[in-house]
Amino acid sequence: VQLQASGGGLVQAGGSLTLSCTASGNIVSISVMGWFRQAPGKERELVADMTSGGNTKYLDSVKGRFTISRDGAANTRYLQMNSLKPEDTAVYYCHAVLTDGTYSPVALLGQGTQVTVSS
């Protein structure tokens, strides 16, 4: 079981980026999936996530600017980031809590992707 993330890059303030993350492997179900981020010298923080039931949670500073969504198969999440600010600059990590084919709970953290917002 693994997470494959894509997206990120360099954008000017006010711009937009989209991150995607796909869980693959022997997966029975996904409980929650989303993104953390960590800026240099700061602690990791939850940016947004979505449960299997579609409930979402957002970091206060991104509410109204970021939107998490999923595709029909529900193993992929997208993070649409609009009105980006320099303070959004960080490494973004996809995360998931799921049940694998052995019916064991698994917590995964994908590889980080850099998001840089220039002023």
Side-chain angles (χ1 to χ4, degrees):
V1 179
Q2 62 180 355
L3 299 176
Q4 184 168 3
S6 63
L10 173 64
V11 65
Q12 289 188 332
S16 299
L17 286 172
T18 302
L19 305 181
S20 65
C21 181
T22 298
S24 62
N26 193 4
I27 299 169
V28 173
S29 63
I30 297 175
S31 299
V32 64
M33 195 167 169
W35 280 266
F36 286 94
R37 72 183 182 187
Q38 188 166 20
K42 296 187 177 180
E43 294 189 354
R44 188 175 298 170
E45 57 187 359
L46 178 67
V47 179
D49 65 23
M50 176 183 282
T51 67
S52 59
N55 294 319
T56 58
K57 183 188 304 179
Y58 292 95
L59 181 68
D60 283 347
S61 63
V62 308
K63 287 180 180 177
R65 300 188 297 120
F66 291 12
T67 303
I68 188 169
S69 62
R70 63 184 172 187
D71 67 1
N75 280 10
T76 296
R77 298 289 189 273
Y78 302 97
L79 185 66
Q80 177 66 41
M81 305 184 292
N82 297 328
S83 302
L84 282 161
K85 303 176 181 180
E87 50 264 43
D88 294 317
T89 295
V91 178
Y92 285 68
Y93 298 89
C94 176
H95 84 98
V97 177
L98 52 84
T99 301
D100 69 11
T102 67
Y103 290 88
S104 300
V106 177
L108 293 174
L109 191 67
Q111 81 275 16
T113 185
Q114 178 71 45
V115 171
T116 303
V117 185
S118 63
S119 57

